[in-house]
Structure formats: C-alpha cells, structure tokens
Amino acid sequence: MSDKPVRVAAIGYGNRSRKYLQYVEEYPDQVQLAAVVDSNPLRLHEAQKKFGLDDQYCFSSIDDFFAQPLPIDGVVIGTPDHLHYGPCMAALDMGYRVLLEKPVSQTLEECEQILLRSEERQIPVTVCYVLRYHPYFKKLKSILARGDLGRLISINHTVNVGIDRTTHSYVRGLWNNSNTSTPIMLAKCCHDIDLINWYSGSRPKRVFSSGSLTWFHGKNAPKDSARRCCDCPCEESCPFSAIDLYLRRGEWTKNFTVPNGMTLHDVLWEEMRHGPYGRCVYHCDNNVADHQILSMEMENGVLVNLTMNCFTLNDGRLIELKCAFGEIVANEHSIIVTNFKTQKSEVHDFDSTNQPSLHVTADIGTMKEFIASFNHTCDEDIPSLQSAIDSHKTCFATEESRLTGRAIEL
Ligand SMILES: NC(=O)c1ccc[n+]([C@@H]2O[C@H](COP(=O)([O-])OP(=O)(O)OC[C@H]3O[C@@H](n4cnc5c(N)ncnc54)[C@H](O)[C@@H]3O)[C@@H](O)[C@H]2O)c1
C-alpha cells in the first residue's frame, strides 16, 4: 500500500455516505475525507465540523464542486437516485475513481453511458453492492466453489422487506413510485439478482414475474380513515400508523434532519402534520408492487425462484442453494451445508460477524475494498460495473414481465 492516505470527497452526506465514512473515521491512515458536497446546509455543516474541513472544500452545489480540479483521488456518490448519473459522469471526466450508490442510474441507457465513459477513461466505478463485501455472502460463494456439493441445480431466494421498511420507503417514501424512482425490483432486489448471478456463475436467459400493489391503496382504507395518521380515528388500531412507527417506537427516524433550536420530536410532529411520512398508507402516491415473485432460467441451466415479501415483521434474506450432491440453507444467522452421501451437516455461525448489524459489516467492507482498489490490493471478487449493469437489466426485464404478463428473453 502507498504511504499516503487516499483522499476522497463525499457527494451527498446522507444516511448511506455516513456509513461509508465510518471507515474514514476508523482508518485515517488509509483514507481522508478531503471535500464534501451537500445541498442541505445542516448536513454540510455537520460534515465540515466532524472532518475538520476548510470552507473551500465544502460545497452546497454539485456544479461548484466539479467547477475546478481538486486534490482528491476519488468520490463517494451517495446522493438520491436521480443524482447518480450526472455526478458519476462528471467525476469520470475529472479523472476521479468512483464509489457509486445503487442504482447505477434510473434508466438502462444512462447506466450504459456510464459504463462506456468508465471504459473510455479507464477509470473504475465501484457500485455499492454491499452484500458482495460481506463475509457471510462470500462464504456461500466459497462453499459452492469447493466442488464437493457438485453442480448447482437451483436457487430459492426469499427477500423479506419488513413491514416498517415497506411503509417508510416503498409506500410513503422515496422509492414508492416507479415514475419518480424505479420499480421495487431495482430499488430493493438488485442486490439479490446480483447475488444470484454471482452464485450461479451465469446470467439470466429468460425471466417471468408476477406481482402487484395489492394492499396499500385507497380501496383498502378503513371506513372513516383520514388522509393523515394525526387526524385519523383508526390510528391507534392501525398496524401501519406513522405516529406509532416514528414517535412511539422511534424507528426509521435517523433520516429526519433536526435544525438548531428544534428537537426530533418537533420535527416528527411537523412531518406528521405536513410531510409525506405522516400520510395514511392507503392515501399515498405509491404505485410499486408490494409483493412479487420472479422465476429465472439462467444461461447455464440453473433455475431460480425469487420471492419478495413486504408483509413480514422483520427484514432479511433466506437463501437455499440446491446442488447435485447436497444443499445449503442460509438464514443470515448461520449457513447449514448438508451432504447427501454422508447425511451430515456442517454449520457456520454468523451471529457474531453481523454485529452491530449485517448491513454495517457489509458497508464497512465495501469502503475497505474501494480504498484497497486504489493500491490494487482489493479482493478479486469485487463486482465489475458491467456485472452491476447486467443485474439492472434483469430488474427492468422483470418489471416488463410483471406489467405485460409475458416471459422476457434476455
Ligand atoms: N447500497 C444499499 O444497500 C443502499 C441502501 C439504501 C439506499 N441506497 C441508495 O443510496 C442513495 C442515498 O440514499 P440515502 O438513504 O443516503 O439518502 P439521504 O437522503 O439520506 O442522502 C442523500 C443526501 O444527498 C443530499 N442531496 C440531495 N440533493 C442534492 C443535491 N442536489 N446536491 C447535493 N446534495 C444533495 C441530501 O441532502 C442528503 O444529505 C440512494 O440512491 C439510495 O437508493 C443504497
């Protein structure tokens, strides 16, 4: 490794970028935050204070940030989905290496333009497919690669979204409408398609999907319900109450910015009265599916079933890999590998690895590999931009299949 720390800029200092920047805090000898961009003055100020940045390296506008070359090596792009394409193209033009939040972009055309620019400039773009950098998901790949279970025949993959995440993100929140964001298969399950491609060592040949927005629309609203939970006579008995989620249980509140002189409680009440997160789940502008299934036939013959469930208390993934001589069952706590011949099982326990959470371990692993990539000491298994875009392509085809009722050949 070179002696000098890698210098990165954060474009967007929100929930995701902060996760990656934890690595900067922990390993200042490897990486420094040299500049930050955020249109939210509170967030910008917070980053400036935390990382001790001079004013000249703090930008409220993305255009101002790219207006002149800066002494940086790379950028972490953690802006909302519609602000991935522009900053990524500009970063490549400036010669900065990119860690880019998923989705790569909201359309396939823009994804392909980013790929082309990255190839032309010969500058890598690393997509935040964070699960790829997690020891648990890597272990699954290494068990398959051992060969003792024989050929992979089929995959059953279940994504439990969790009801709180569903109402926060996919009913009231930023990813609730495919016209303004993306289909839920891309927003939520692009990680899963990428894992399936990785585990099978192949790509989908044909996809078929069905699913719909079954529950979260006006026809299911209780009689007498109001447009907002704070005005609703059904609030106390409703399992989807925003007041219960944010104020009583205090879940999903980290993304609300608290201005000076206000408390989180004040901000949340203001949101309940006027903001999108205080809306009744039956009266939102959402259109994305709330349950969906996908069947895929891979080019190498592996068959895949993926189920996305929003109606689950907890979130998490259950992965079953069926091989010719044995099977693997992975539930995020452990991986159980059973051999048909010996009829014995080996158990790999991951509860301690996933502290404080599976996502945090994955996020830190992602930043670690990104930084290592500047010195060519990264894990050879890191996904290429091309493979990330392949998984996006599958997600768009899945949505086409769901909407048309047809199988789509890829
Ligand atoms: N890899 C994953 O597992 C994963 C998980 C969740 C979200 N995401 C993706 O990460 C991205 C960021 O999501 P988040 O939850 O951190 O959102 P966020 O809202 O917490 O952060 C986005 C930040 O960008 C800033 N911003 C918005 N517009 C801007 C502009 N014009 N100029 C400069 N800054 C601007 C906002 O002020 C905010 O601080 C999204 O694309 C999302 O889809 C990825």
Side-chain angles (χ1 to χ4, degrees), residues 14-16 38-39 43 78-79 81 83-84 101 128 191 255:
N15 170 43
R16 298 300 308 154
D38 203 298
S39 54
R43 291 189 169 181
T79 35
D81 297 0
L83 290 172
H84 290 185
E101 255 309 350
C128 295
H191 290 288
N255 256 20

Side-chain angles (χ1 to χ4, degrees), residues 93-161:
D93 286 342
M94 297 295 275
Y96 305 146
R97 211 176 257 246
V98 182
L99 180 67
L100 177 62
E101 255 309 350
K102 48 96 334 207
V104 173
S105 191
Q106 291 177 306
T107 67
L108 210 44
E109 293 71 28
E110 286 183 353
C111 291
E112 277 164 357
Q113 285 175 32
I114 289 177
L115 177 63
L116 192 64
R117 188 67 55 92
S118 157
E119 285 172 353
E120 279 167 5
R121 302 267 190 260
Q122 299 194 338
I123 300 171
V125 174
T126 304
V127 179
C128 295
Y129 270 165
V130 299
L131 304 182
R132 282 269 202 133
Y133 304 90
H134 190 286
Y136 163 84
F137 293 98
K138 284 186 184 178
K139 184 73 181 177
L140 280 171
K141 177 71 180 170
S142 74
I143 294 168
L144 285 170
R146 285 185 332 207
D148 56 308
L149 299 178
R151 217 182 89 188
L152 179 64
I153 308 285
S154 66
I155 301 177
N156 274 341
H157 189 109
T158 306
V159 183
N160 290 336
V161 181

